[in-house]
Amino acid sequence: MVDHPGASASSDDGSLKEQDQWLPIANVGRIMKHTLPSNAKISKEAKETMQECVSEFISFVTSEASEKCKTERRKTVNGDDICWAMGALGFDQYVGPLKRYLQRYRELEVDKANNQEKAISSKLEDQKEEPSSSYRYNQPGNN
């Protein structure tokens, strides 16, 4: 199959092309650029190589986490499963930082949900306190 703009995202047998399973190269390049000095340049070959490597790494870890979920008869892979898989695959030095990140992420999500709830409650209270404009203008003596 020839890769060209506008080509189908799947091959003739319905499976995804290998390239379509990779992270977008622009995202990979942006992450790479972020860690390098501002005057550094990154070749297309380096971006493509990193794109393939990080995509393969993600698949590797996710597959391990997915196997754990299957043995536990669960369908959803969660952050704890990813942390477990990282340790099981020998990436122990990353497990602690990932768990701390995951904990902080969850705390922020709870805070965000609470703030949204407060905003909605406040808006509802404001609406209860102020009669609607049609109500005010249709009262006798307001014409």
Side-chain angles (χ1 to χ4, degrees), residues 2 41 91 104:
V2 177
K41 298 196 184 296
F91 298 103
R104 184 68 182 131

Side-chain angles (χ1 to χ4, degrees), residues 25-42:
I25 199 158
N27 294 2
V28 173
R30 198 168 22 258
I31 292 167
M32 291 173 73
K33 188 112 175 119
H34 181 71
T35 61
L36 295 172
S38 60
N39 62 345
K41 298 196 184 296
I42 306 168

Side-chain angles (χ1 to χ4, degrees), residues 39-114:
N39 62 345
K41 298 196 184 296
I42 306 168
S43 72
K44 182 179 179 186
E45 178 187 28
K47 290 178 192 175
E48 289 172 349
T49 301
M50 186 60 75
Q51 176 189 37
E52 189 171 347
C53 289
V54 297
S55 297
E56 188 63 34
F57 179 76
I58 290 168
S59 295
F60 180 56
V61 174
T62 304
S63 177
E64 187 72 16
S66 179
E67 286 301 316
K68 178 182 187 267
C69 291
K70 283 180 189 174
T71 60
E72 295 176 359
R73 297 182 183 197
R74 293 187 292 119
K75 293 182 179 181
T76 303
V77 175
N78 62 39
D80 294 317
D81 298 320
I82 298 298
C83 291
W84 175 87
M86 293 287 285
L89 293 169
F91 298 103
D92 302 309
Q93 67 272 28
Y94 296 103
V95 174
L98 280 172
K99 283 185 176 181
R100 286 190 296 277
Y101 174 84
L102 183 59
Q103 179 62 34
R104 184 68 182 131
Y105 173 81
R106 288 173 175 163
E107 290 169 0
L108 290 172
E109 287 297 303
V110 168
D111 290 347
K112 185 174 153 184
N114 289 340

Side-chain angles (χ1 to χ4, degrees), residues 121-133:
S121 295
S122 176
K123 190 172 184 178
L124 290 174
E125 288 299 319
D126 290 347
Q127 288 175 352
K128 285 180 185 176
E129 292 174 7
E130 290 182 20
S132 71
S133 58

